[in-house]
Amino acid sequence: MTKELSTSQRSPLLPDRHPQRDLFVCDIVDAVPKGDMSSMENPVFTLSTKPDMRTRRYERGENWIQIAPSRTGLATVHDRDVLIYCISQCMAALNDGQAVQRRMRFKAYDLLVATNRQTSGRGYELLKDALRRLQGTQIETNLRQGGKEYFKVFGLIDSAEIVKETRDGRMLDVEITLSDWVFDAIENNHVLTLNRQYFKLRKPLERRLYEIARKHCGAQSAWKVGAELLRDKCGSSSTLKEFRRLLGKIIEDDAEHDHMPDYAFAIKGDIVIVRPKKGIKETALPFPVSSLRLDPDTHGEARHLAPGWDMYHLENEWRSWVLEKGIAVKNPDKHFLSFCKKRGAYKR
């Protein structure tokens, strides 16, 4: 009875593994977490905690993306921590006026602390496994433009090298070469800030749901999505019935523990509704969301500037970007068209 009670009362969050961090690495560790929008949009990372050897393909209209594993399996949602850390460090450097390169070197310990991972020998071994999966996972996608179809294949990172290693097997320095796909997101600022509590979420599905909410809801008052589409965007292999049950359990846990950062989820029939929590209020913005309304004819012009995109998705992305950056928009239609022109044709 006591054991059952303690299990049911266990926090859904991982413990804070580094409450008293080394002052010498605080500046590195405290870089604002950032995630690239492409990975937040597409189900690139597997939710499985066991080696996932499946090749997965997702189609959207005439466009498709396929993710294939290496011999060590697909990169996992938790492996994504490595990319978040790399992106965060690069963005912090750019904000300081420093130049950044695809090849970067860092201390393994700093990454483990920043992402709330174990710094034991086991923690370093898990990091090695993550590097293997990130380098080995292969992404294939197509792009239709001007009557032609282009094919592209790439990995999440081009290479990883352990520069130094102590006798007990712990990594000291790690060198990673980011893929063009990730580095393009950094150079074009196609990234979004993440809540630090993301690294304390236990369940891969919780992390994926947060990413999707951050990408699509942003600071809007609400975002609605069909349960089946949300399942597909999460990359879940569960049946729709099982996915609804898993989502329902997360909603129940959040109602009790308030552990999901920034966003609350609700299910109404076949629709999932995402709303910002108290910390992201529309009233705290420098202008009302209602001022970002577009003329009905604007989407038609935008389709010529950004062919292949879902205009409603692109509008939501534009709104989230404007709200996050606190940009004062005087002419929403002109500003949105400029956003679409820079975005260009749809790429996967």
Side-chain angles (χ1 to χ4, degrees), residues 49-96:
T49 56
K50 297 179 180 179
D52 190 343
M53 307 307 295
R54 299 170 301 156
T55 295
R56 301 181 300 171
R57 183 183 176 100
Y58 300 92
E59 298 183 3
R60 182 179 177 183
E62 294 182 330
N63 296 303
W64 54 266
I65 183 171
Q66 182 170 290
I67 304 100
S70 67
R71 60 181 180 82
T72 57
L74 292 170
T76 72
V77 167
H78 288 280
D79 295 342
R80 177 168 160 75
D81 291 355
V82 177
L83 292 186
I84 292 174
Y85 180 80
C86 292
I87 293 170
S88 304
Q89 296 304 310
C90 286
M91 295 307 298
L94 287 173
N95 290 337
D96 285 340

Side-chain angles (χ1 to χ4, degrees), residues 70-307:
S70 67
R71 60 181 180 82
T72 57
L74 292 170
T76 72
V77 167
H78 288 280
D79 295 342
R80 177 168 160 75
D81 291 355
V82 177
L83 292 186
I84 292 174
Y85 180 80
C86 292
I87 293 170
S88 304
Q89 296 304 310
C90 286
M91 295 307 298
L94 287 173
N95 290 337
D96 285 340
Q98 302 174 33
V100 296
Q101 297 179 339
R102 290 201 304 133
R103 181 179 295 177
M104 58 187 302
R105 182 183 293 196
F106 54 85
K107 300 292 183 183
Y109 175 82
D110 295 346
L111 181 148
L112 296 175
V113 172
T115 55
N116 196 42
R117 286 171 168 250
Q118 305 173 50
T119 53
S120 63
R122 175 62 176 161
Y124 286 89
E125 286 301 318
L126 291 173
L127 179 53
K128 282 184 181 179
D129 291 341
L131 294 174
R132 293 187 185 103
R133 288 188 292 266
L134 287 168
Q135 195 282 326
T137 296
Q138 188 178 74
I139 300 173
E140 298 179 10
T141 186
N142 74 331
L143 170 65
R144 292 174 180 265
Q145 186 177 357
K148 296 181 180 179
E149 179 172 317
Y150 299 86
F151 170 79
K152 189 171 184 179
V153 58
F154 52 91
L156 293 166
I157 61 175
D158 280 359
S159 64
E161 180 180 356
I162 299 170
V163 180
K164 296 179 181 178
E165 189 170 358
T166 59
R167 291 182 180 179
D168 63 1
R170 292 194 180 192
M171 289 177 278
L172 295 180
D173 291 349
V174 175
E175 191 170 276
I176 287 179
T177 302
L178 299 173
S179 67
D180 288 336
W181 188 56
V182 175
F183 197 67
D184 284 348
I186 294 170
E187 289 192 307
N188 293 295
N189 198 25
H190 291 167
V191 301
L192 290 174
T193 300
L194 305 177
N195 192 307
R196 291 187 186 280
Q197 190 156 304
Y198 170 88
F199 297 119
K200 294 177 66 177
L201 294 174
R202 287 183 184 274
K203 299 176 180 178
L205 180 57
E206 291 176 337
R207 293 191 175 204
R208 184 68 186 128
L209 286 169
Y210 169 75
E211 290 176 357
I212 292 172
R214 181 70 186 89
K215 174 69 168 58
H216 290 284
C217 186
Q220 298 178 87
S221 58
W223 176 65
K224 298 179 181 180
V225 60
E228 186 172 4
L229 177 57
L230 181 60
R231 179 197 63 177
D232 294 343
K233 290 180 75 66
C234 285
S236 172
S237 59
S238 301
T239 63
L240 184 57
K241 181 179 180 181
E242 175 64 8
F243 178 77
R244 288 171 61 91
R245 186 193 70 78
L246 294 171
L247 178 58
K249 181 63 169 63
I250 291 173
I251 293 172
E252 289 178 10
D253 288 344
D254 191 42
E256 181 179 353
H257 299 280
D258 191 26
H259 71 292
M260 289 292 289
D262 300 339
Y263 300 97
F265 295 77
I267 305 176
K268 288 190 177 180
D270 293 328
I271 301 298
V272 178
I273 304 172
V274 184
R275 292 188 176 91
K277 289 187 175 180
K278 212 171 185 180
I280 306 181
K281 278 193 171 179
E282 203 175 301
T283 54
L285 298 171
F287 54 88
V289 174
S290 58
S291 67
L292 296 178
R293 289 176 180 169
L294 298 177
D295 186 277
D297 295 332
T298 299
H299 276 190
E301 189 173 348
R303 287 189 179 92
H304 293 289
L305 298 172

